[in-house]
PDB file of all heavy atoms in Angstrom:
ATOM      1  N   GLN A 175       0.639  13.425   9.919  1.00 61.00           N
ATOM      2  CA  GLN A 175       1.200  14.376  10.946  1.00 61.00           C
ATOM      3  C   GLN A 175       2.244  15.268  10.214  1.00 61.00           C
ATOM      4  O   GLN A 175       3.319  14.834   9.778  1.00 61.00           O
ATOM      5  CB  GLN A 175       1.858  13.650  12.105  1.00 61.00           C
ATOM      6  CG  GLN A 175       2.314  14.541  13.250  1.00 61.00           C
ATOM      7  CD  GLN A 175       2.820  13.862  14.454  1.00 61.00           C
ATOM      8  OE1 GLN A 175       2.808  12.586  14.402  1.00 61.00           O
ATOM      9  NE2 GLN A 175       3.267  14.529  15.441  1.00 61.00           N
ATOM     10  N   VAL A 176       1.960  16.541  10.165  1.00 56.00           N
ATOM     11  CA  VAL A 176       2.824  17.554   9.475  1.00 56.00           C
ATOM     12  C   VAL A 176       3.791  18.163  10.567  1.00 56.00           C
ATOM     13  O   VAL A 176       3.351  18.678  11.545  1.00 56.00           O
ATOM     14  CB  VAL A 176       2.019  18.627   8.794  1.00 56.00           C
ATOM     15  CG1 VAL A 176       2.949  19.601   8.059  1.00 56.00           C
ATOM     16  CG2 VAL A 176       1.034  18.017   7.762  1.00 56.00           C
ATOM     17  N   THR A 177       5.093  18.169  10.214  1.00 58.00           N
ATOM     18  CA  THR A 177       6.034  18.726  11.058  1.00 58.00           C
ATOM     19  C   THR A 177       6.687  19.942  10.400  1.00 58.00           C
ATOM     20  O   THR A 177       6.629  20.027   9.057  1.00 58.00           O
ATOM     21  CB  THR A 177       7.116  17.720  11.455  1.00 58.00           C
ATOM     22  OG1 THR A 177       7.803  17.294  10.310  1.00 58.00           O
ATOM     23  CG2 THR A 177       6.496  16.581  12.149  1.00 58.00           C
ATOM     24  N   LEU A 178       7.425  20.787  11.027  1.00 53.00           N
ATOM     25  CA  LEU A 178       8.115  21.901  10.487  1.00 53.00           C
ATOM     26  C   LEU A 178       9.188  21.448   9.537  1.00 53.00           C
ATOM     27  O   LEU A 178       9.469  22.090   8.446  1.00 53.00           O
ATOM     28  CB  LEU A 178       8.748  22.746  11.624  1.00 53.00           C
ATOM     29  CG  LEU A 178       9.461  24.050  11.143  1.00 53.00           C
ATOM     30  CD1 LEU A 178       8.555  24.986  10.421  1.00 53.00           C
ATOM     31  CD2 LEU A 178      10.108  24.773  12.357  1.00 53.00           C
ATOM     32  N   ALA A 179       9.788  20.355   9.843  1.00 56.00           N
ATOM     33  CA  ALA A 179      10.887  19.780   8.994  1.00 56.00           C
ATOM     34  C   ALA A 179      10.312  19.400   7.612  1.00 56.00           C
ATOM     35  O   ALA A 179      11.069  19.407   6.601  1.00 56.00           O
ATOM     36  CB  ALA A 179      11.521  18.569   9.670  1.00 56.00           C
ATOM     37  N   GLN A 180       9.053  19.032   7.543  1.00 57.00           N
ATOM     38  CA  GLN A 180       8.468  18.589   6.254  1.00 57.00           C
ATOM     39  C   GLN A 180       8.051  19.881   5.397  1.00 57.00           C
ATOM     40  O   GLN A 180       8.133  19.882   4.249  1.00 57.00           O
ATOM     41  CB  GLN A 180       7.241  17.803   6.515  1.00 57.00           C
ATOM     42  CG  GLN A 180       7.557  16.382   7.089  1.00 57.00           C
ATOM     43  CD  GLN A 180       6.309  15.631   7.519  1.00 57.00           C
ATOM     44  OE1 GLN A 180       5.345  16.245   8.054  1.00 57.00           O
ATOM     45  NE2 GLN A 180       6.249  14.317   7.128  1.00 57.00           N
ATOM     46  N   VAL A 181       7.677  20.921   6.150  1.00 60.00           N
ATOM     47  CA  VAL A 181       7.161  22.161   5.417  1.00 60.00           C
ATOM     48  C   VAL A 181       8.257  23.049   5.061  1.00 60.00           C
ATOM     49  O   VAL A 181       8.217  23.658   3.967  1.00 60.00           O
ATOM     50  CB  VAL A 181       6.124  22.831   6.310  1.00 60.00           C
ATOM     51  CG1 VAL A 181       5.680  24.204   5.657  1.00 60.00           C
ATOM     52  CG2 VAL A 181       4.957  21.941   6.674  1.00 60.00           C
ATOM     53  N   ALA A 182       9.296  23.156   5.924  1.00 60.00           N
ATOM     54  CA  ALA A 182      10.372  24.233   5.752  1.00 60.00           C
ATOM     55  C   ALA A 182      11.082  24.105   4.379  1.00 60.00           C
ATOM     56  O   ALA A 182      11.286  25.217   3.726  1.00 60.00           O
ATOM     57  CB  ALA A 182      11.361  24.063   6.870  1.00 60.00           C
ATOM     58  N   PRO A 183      11.473  22.937   3.899  1.00 61.00           N
ATOM     59  CA  PRO A 183      12.216  22.917   2.570  1.00 61.00           C
ATOM     60  C   PRO A 183      11.349  23.468   1.460  1.00 61.00           C
ATOM     61  O   PRO A 183      11.874  24.186   0.636  1.00 61.00           O
ATOM     62  CB  PRO A 183      12.543  21.383   2.479  1.00 61.00           C
ATOM     63  CG  PRO A 183      12.508  20.867   3.783  1.00 61.00           C
ATOM     64  CD  PRO A 183      11.436  21.633   4.555  1.00 61.00           C
ATOM     65  N   GLY A 184      10.119  23.105   1.375  1.00 64.00           N
ATOM     66  CA  GLY A 184       9.255  23.562   0.319  1.00 64.00           C
ATOM     67  C   GLY A 184       9.001  25.026   0.330  1.00 64.00           C
ATOM     68  O   GLY A 184       9.054  25.709  -0.633  1.00 64.00           O
ATOM     69  N   ILE A 185       8.866  25.617   1.584  1.00 71.00           N
ATOM     70  CA  ILE A 185       8.649  27.069   1.743  1.00 71.00           C
ATOM     71  C   ILE A 185       9.914  27.787   1.365  1.00 71.00           C
ATOM     72  O   ILE A 185       9.900  28.831   0.711  1.00 71.00           O
ATOM     73  CB  ILE A 185       8.255  27.372   3.196  1.00 71.00           C
ATOM     74  CG1 ILE A 185       6.944  26.658   3.586  1.00 71.00           C
ATOM     75  CG2 ILE A 185       8.136  28.882   3.372  1.00 71.00           C
ATOM     76  CD1 ILE A 185       5.768  27.052   2.771  1.00 71.00           C
ATOM     77  N   SER A 186      11.047  27.235   1.762  1.00 71.00           N
ATOM     78  CA  SER A 186      12.365  27.853   1.412  1.00 71.00           C
ATOM     79  C   SER A 186      12.540  27.955  -0.123  1.00 71.00           C
ATOM     80  O   SER A 186      13.014  28.943  -0.661  1.00 71.00           O
ATOM     81  CB  SER A 186      13.497  27.085   2.019  1.00 71.00           C
ATOM     82  OG  SER A 186      13.365  27.076   3.433  1.00 71.00           O
ATOM     83  N   GLU A 187      12.218  26.856  -0.788  1.00 71.00           N
ATOM     84  CA  GLU A 187      12.364  26.889  -2.315  1.00 71.00           C
ATOM     85  C   GLU A 187      11.396  27.894  -2.869  1.00 71.00           C
ATOM     86  O   GLU A 187      11.785  28.565  -3.828  1.00 71.00           O
ATOM     87  CB  GLU A 187      11.961  25.468  -2.792  1.00 71.00           C
ATOM     88  CG  GLU A 187      12.885  24.368  -2.429  1.00 71.00           C
ATOM     89  CD  GLU A 187      12.333  22.954  -2.653  1.00 71.00           C
ATOM     90  OE1 GLU A 187      11.262  22.876  -3.279  1.00 71.00           O
ATOM     91  OE2 GLU A 187      12.930  22.006  -2.235  1.00 71.00           O
ATOM     92  N   ALA A 188      10.202  27.993  -2.358  1.00 72.00           N
ATOM     93  CA  ALA A 188       9.291  28.961  -2.842  1.00 72.00           C
ATOM     94  C   ALA A 188       9.711  30.416  -2.689  1.00 72.00           C
ATOM     95  O   ALA A 188       9.540  31.263  -3.579  1.00 72.00           O
ATOM     96  CB  ALA A 188       7.873  28.790  -2.134  1.00 72.00           C
ATOM     97  N   LEU A 189      10.335  30.661  -1.479  1.00 80.00           N
ATOM     98  CA  LEU A 189      10.769  32.094  -1.220  1.00 80.00           C
ATOM     99  C   LEU A 189      11.925  32.478  -2.144  1.00 80.00           C
ATOM    100  O   LEU A 189      12.195  33.668  -2.202  1.00 80.00           O
ATOM    101  CB  LEU A 189      11.130  32.169   0.283  1.00 80.00           C
ATOM    102  CG  LEU A 189       9.950  32.090   1.191  1.00 80.00           C
ATOM    103  CD1 LEU A 189      10.455  32.077   2.621  1.00 80.00           C
ATOM    104  CD2 LEU A 189       8.975  33.199   1.032  1.00 80.00           C
ATOM    105  N   VAL A 190      12.611  31.564  -2.676  1.00 82.00           N
ATOM    106  CA  VAL A 190      13.770  31.907  -3.516  1.00 82.00           C
ATOM    107  C   VAL A 190      13.247  32.764  -4.690  1.00 82.00           C
ATOM    108  O   VAL A 190      13.987  33.703  -5.100  1.00 82.00           O
ATOM    109  CB  VAL A 190      14.492  30.634  -4.050  1.00 82.00           C
ATOM    110  CG1 VAL A 190      15.528  30.973  -5.148  1.00 82.00           C
ATOM    111  CG2 VAL A 190      15.157  29.907  -2.841  1.00 82.00           C
ATOM    112  N   ALA A 191      12.141  32.462  -5.196  1.00 83.00           N
ATOM    113  CA  ALA A 191      11.577  33.173  -6.407  1.00 83.00           C
ATOM    114  C   ALA A 191      11.342  34.658  -5.955  1.00 83.00           C
ATOM    115  O   ALA A 191      11.706  35.599  -6.737  1.00 83.00           O
ATOM    116  CB  ALA A 191      10.228  32.581  -6.839  1.00 83.00           C
ATOM    117  N   THR A 192      10.830  34.960  -4.785  1.00 86.00           N
ATOM    118  CA  THR A 192      10.616  36.236  -4.323  1.00 86.00           C
ATOM    119  C   THR A 192      11.956  36.906  -4.158  1.00 86.00           C
ATOM    120  O   THR A 192      12.111  38.147  -4.495  1.00 86.00           O
ATOM    121  CB  THR A 192       9.871  36.271  -2.951  1.00 86.00           C
ATOM    122  OG1 THR A 192       8.523  35.682  -3.150  1.00 86.00           O
ATOM    123  CG2 THR A 192       9.728  37.681  -2.425  1.00 86.00           C
ATOM    124  N   ALA A 193      13.008  36.227  -3.680  1.00 86.00           N
ATOM    125  CA  ALA A 193      14.294  36.818  -3.470  1.00 86.00           C
ATOM    126  C   ALA A 193      14.919  37.264  -4.795  1.00 86.00           C
ATOM    127  O   ALA A 193      15.435  38.412  -4.916  1.00 86.00           O
ATOM    128  CB  ALA A 193      15.221  35.804  -2.748  1.00 86.00           C
ATOM    129  N   ILE A 194      14.824  36.364  -5.794  1.00 87.00           N
ATOM    130  CA  ILE A 194      15.343  36.782  -7.160  1.00 87.00           C
ATOM    131  C   ILE A 194      14.573  37.962  -7.722  1.00 87.00           C
ATOM    132  O   ILE A 194      15.153  38.825  -8.347  1.00 87.00           O
ATOM    133  CB  ILE A 194      15.212  35.541  -8.079  1.00 87.00           C
ATOM    134  CG1 ILE A 194      16.059  34.400  -7.495  1.00 87.00           C
ATOM    135  CG2 ILE A 194      15.736  35.918  -9.479  1.00 87.00           C
ATOM    136  CD1 ILE A 194      15.986  33.100  -8.357  1.00 87.00           C
ATOM    137  N   GLY A 195      13.257  37.949  -7.531  1.00 90.00           N
ATOM    138  CA  GLY A 195      12.415  39.084  -7.997  1.00 90.00           C
ATOM    139  C   GLY A 195      12.879  40.380  -7.443  1.00 90.00           C
ATOM    140  O   GLY A 195      13.009  41.399  -8.101  1.00 90.00           O
ATOM    141  N   LEU A 196      13.160  40.387  -6.110  1.00 92.00           N
ATOM    142  CA  LEU A 196      13.577  41.549  -5.406  1.00 92.00           C
ATOM    143  C   LEU A 196      14.956  41.968  -5.864  1.00 92.00           C
ATOM    144  O   LEU A 196      15.311  43.108  -5.954  1.00 92.00           O
ATOM    145  CB  LEU A 196      13.537  41.414  -3.943  1.00 92.00           C
ATOM    146  CG  LEU A 196      12.125  41.249  -3.286  1.00 92.00           C
ATOM    147  CD1 LEU A 196      12.291  40.915  -1.802  1.00 92.00           C
ATOM    148  CD2 LEU A 196      11.366  42.543  -3.501  1.00 92.00           C
ATOM    149  N   LEU A 197      15.775  40.953  -6.138  1.00 91.00           N
ATOM    150  CA  LEU A 197      17.181  41.225  -6.613  1.00 91.00           C
ATOM    151  C   LEU A 197      17.155  41.893  -7.924  1.00 91.00           C
ATOM    152  O   LEU A 197      18.015  42.770  -8.233  1.00 91.00           O
ATOM    153  CB  LEU A 197      17.895  39.866  -6.673  1.00 91.00           C
ATOM    154  CG  LEU A 197      19.431  39.926  -6.888  1.00 91.00           C
ATOM    155  CD1 LEU A 197      20.119  40.635  -5.755  1.00 91.00           C
ATOM    156  CD2 LEU A 197      20.027  38.555  -7.070  1.00 91.00           C
ATOM    157  N   ALA A 198      16.222  41.607  -8.766  1.00 91.00           N
ATOM    158  CA  ALA A 198      16.119  42.232 -10.070  1.00 91.00           C
ATOM    159  C   ALA A 198      15.431  43.637  -9.942  1.00 91.00           C
ATOM    160  O   ALA A 198      15.853  44.629 -10.561  1.00 91.00           O
ATOM    161  CB  ALA A 198      15.339  41.374 -11.034  1.00 91.00           C
ATOM    162  N   ALA A 199      14.470  43.792  -9.033  1.00 93.00           N
ATOM    163  CA  ALA A 199      13.696  44.978  -8.962  1.00 93.00           C
ATOM    164  C   ALA A 199      14.389  46.089  -8.272  1.00 93.00           C
ATOM    165  O   ALA A 199      14.320  47.271  -8.741  1.00 93.00           O
ATOM    166  CB  ALA A 199      12.332  44.726  -8.245  1.00 93.00           C
ATOM    167  N   ILE A 200      15.095  45.791  -7.204  1.00 93.00           N
ATOM    168  CA  ILE A 200      15.738  46.904  -6.388  1.00 93.00           C
ATOM    169  C   ILE A 200      16.742  47.763  -7.208  1.00 93.00           C
ATOM    170  O   ILE A 200      16.599  48.966  -7.251  1.00 93.00           O
ATOM    171  CB  ILE A 200      16.362  46.343  -5.125  1.00 93.00           C
ATOM    172  CG1 ILE A 200      15.229  45.849  -4.162  1.00 93.00           C
ATOM    173  CG2 ILE A 200      17.209  47.380  -4.380  1.00 93.00           C
ATOM    174  CD1 ILE A 200      15.742  45.113  -2.980  1.00 93.00           C
ATOM    175  N   PRO A 201      17.733  47.110  -7.848  1.00 93.00           N
ATOM    176  CA  PRO A 201      18.710  47.922  -8.622  1.00 93.00           C
ATOM    177  C   PRO A 201      18.014  48.615  -9.787  1.00 93.00           C
ATOM    178  O   PRO A 201      18.402  49.726 -10.164  1.00 93.00           O
ATOM    179  CB  PRO A 201      19.711  46.911  -9.080  1.00 93.00           C
ATOM    180  CG  PRO A 201      19.063  45.565  -9.026  1.00 93.00           C
ATOM    181  CD  PRO A 201      18.123  45.672  -7.816  1.00 93.00           C
ATOM    182  N   ALA A 202      16.982  47.978 -10.380  1.00 94.00           N
ATOM    183  CA  ALA A 202      16.278  48.626 -11.533  1.00 94.00           C
ATOM    184  C   ALA A 202      15.615  49.914 -11.127  1.00 94.00           C
ATOM    185  O   ALA A 202      15.621  50.889 -11.803  1.00 94.00           O
ATOM    186  CB  ALA A 202      15.275  47.575 -12.128  1.00 94.00           C
TER     187      ALA A 202
END
Side-chain angles (χ1 to χ4, degrees):
Q175 185 175 0
V176 179
T177 63
L178 182 61
Q180 293 172 314
V181 178
I185 301 298
S186 298
E187 295 168 8
L189 291 175
V190 171
T192 297
I194 299 175
L196 293 175
L197 189 62
I200 292 173

